[in-house]
Amino acid sequence: MQSRFQDSDILSYLVLPQDYDPLPSADPIEFLKRHLHELPPNIIQRFSLVTTPKQRTAITEIRNRRLKFTESRPRSLSFAVARNTWPTLWQGRERRGQEEGKEEQEWAKMNFLGGAEQQVGKLAKLLGDMEEEREAERVRLIRRTQANDDFVPEEESDSEEDEEEVPESESPEEAQALFERRIRERFIYGLLEGADYDSVDWDEWLDVEDADSEERWFDED
């Protein structure tokens, strides 16, 4: 993707006058609503320079692409990955880093073939404990940073940012289902910080055939 966003390049490709209204740089969302399907990948991707994922939510086709992407159950939005990537959205109370620690132990057992089994086992446990502590500390740091960032003027907060609290009586399965739904919804509405929106928003292969059925999903939600 080029590092420059120039109206002239885009308008020339579409054979539009240079004084076309709206200009891509002046009102990129309205321009995309009109010409999204007419631009090739090397040009359409430049709009990431002048729009945010949240702003692009106003475009029906892009919302539908995100919805279809989440319905494919991508690993990047799976419970295990999302819980570690966006720990402040997960309300669970289990010890953090256990999964990472287990993976580190398995890696040590598979790769240190030169040592005796007992020695390898001790090393694997040590590495696993260290990795578990590193992951737990990472999550604590993220949550402390998030807590500091929460002190913002009331008028600057978005209604979409309000998080649902997980009742203490909910089962782990119910808490996980709520978290997974929250991740999917935040992704669709452009609120999932750090998510790879570009690979989804500009992917015409994710266009749905029955757009009306997709719009009904948003209306019902």
Side-chain angles (χ1 to χ4, degrees):
M1 184 174 66
Q2 296 186 7
S3 60
R4 295 181 301 168
F5 185 91
Q6 294 185 330
D7 290 334
S8 58
D9 293 345
I10 299 170
L11 295 174
S12 296
Y13 179 86
L14 295 173
V15 195
L16 295 172
Q18 295 299 309
D19 60 351
Y20 181 81
D21 185 26
L23 285 173
S25 60
D27 193 348
I29 297 301
E30 182 58 34
F31 189 88
L32 285 171
K33 287 181 178 180
R34 300 184 187 185
H35 304 288
L36 177 68
H37 297 289
E38 302 172 41
L39 295 168
N42 66 309
I43 292 181
I44 197 71
Q45 292 173 6
R46 300 178 196 176
F47 280 85
S48 293
L49 299 172
V50 295
T51 62
T52 66
K54 183 178 179 181
Q55 290 171 333
R56 297 197 292 270
T57 303
I59 303 172
T60 300
E61 291 90 340
I62 287 182
R63 290 203 311 272
N64 288 338
R65 289 175 181 180
R66 293 175 183 175
L67 173 60
K68 188 171 183 179
F69 176 73
T70 62
E71 289 177 338
S72 70
R73 300 292 178 178
R75 184 177 182 278
S76 60
L77 300 183
S78 66
F79 173 71
V81 174
R83 182 188 59 179
N84 291 330
T85 307
W86 300 283
T88 59
L89 299 179
W90 169 242
Q91 304 297 326
R93 297 293 184 267
E94 80 282 3
R95 289 175 58 192
R96 301 307 304 270
Q98 291 179 315
E99 186 171 337
E100 291 76 8
K102 182 178 179 181
E103 292 176 355
E104 188 74 10
Q105 288 189 43
E106 293 299 324
W107 178 85
K109 290 178 181 179
M110 292 293 294
N111 288 275
F112 287 97
L113 302 179
E117 182 176 351
Q118 184 177 5
Q119 293 174 329
V120 171
K122 290 181 180 179
L123 177 60
K125 184 178 186 307
L126 175 61
L127 292 176
D129 291 344
M130 291 174 61
E131 181 61 25
E132 180 177 337
E133 180 55 34
R134 278 196 297 268
E135 175 62 16
E137 179 58 29
R138 184 185 74 86
V139 171
R140 286 193 293 269
L141 178 60
I142 292 175
R143 286 180 169 171
R144 283 198 298 268
T145 303
Q146 182 67 43
N148 292 334
D149 292 342
D150 285 342
F151 289 99
V152 297
E154 189 171 315
E155 60 271 14
E156 293 183 8
S157 62
D158 295 315
S159 59
E160 298 98 329
E161 299 290 346
D162 294 335
E163 302 295 346
E164 301 174 59
E165 293 295 332
V166 179
E168 293 294 333
S169 59
E170 281 194 339
S171 68
E173 292 75 16
E174 291 171 330
Q176 178 174 332
L178 176 61
F179 173 74
E180 291 174 336
R181 176 180 174 82
R182 178 182 296 148
I183 290 295
R184 291 194 299 270
E185 290 178 345
R186 291 180 68 88
F187 180 82
I188 291 171
Y189 289 105
L191 301 172
L192 203 55
E193 184 177 355
D196 183 10
Y197 281 99
D198 288 358
S199 65
V200 176
D201 291 0
W202 313 128
D203 187 357
E204 60 183 9
W205 292 100
L206 289 171
D207 287 336
V208 295
E209 296 179 1
D210 184 6
D212 290 338
S213 65
E214 304 297 340
E215 281 304 292
R216 285 196 294 272
W217 184 91
F218 290 104
D219 293 339
E220 293 171 359
D221 188 60

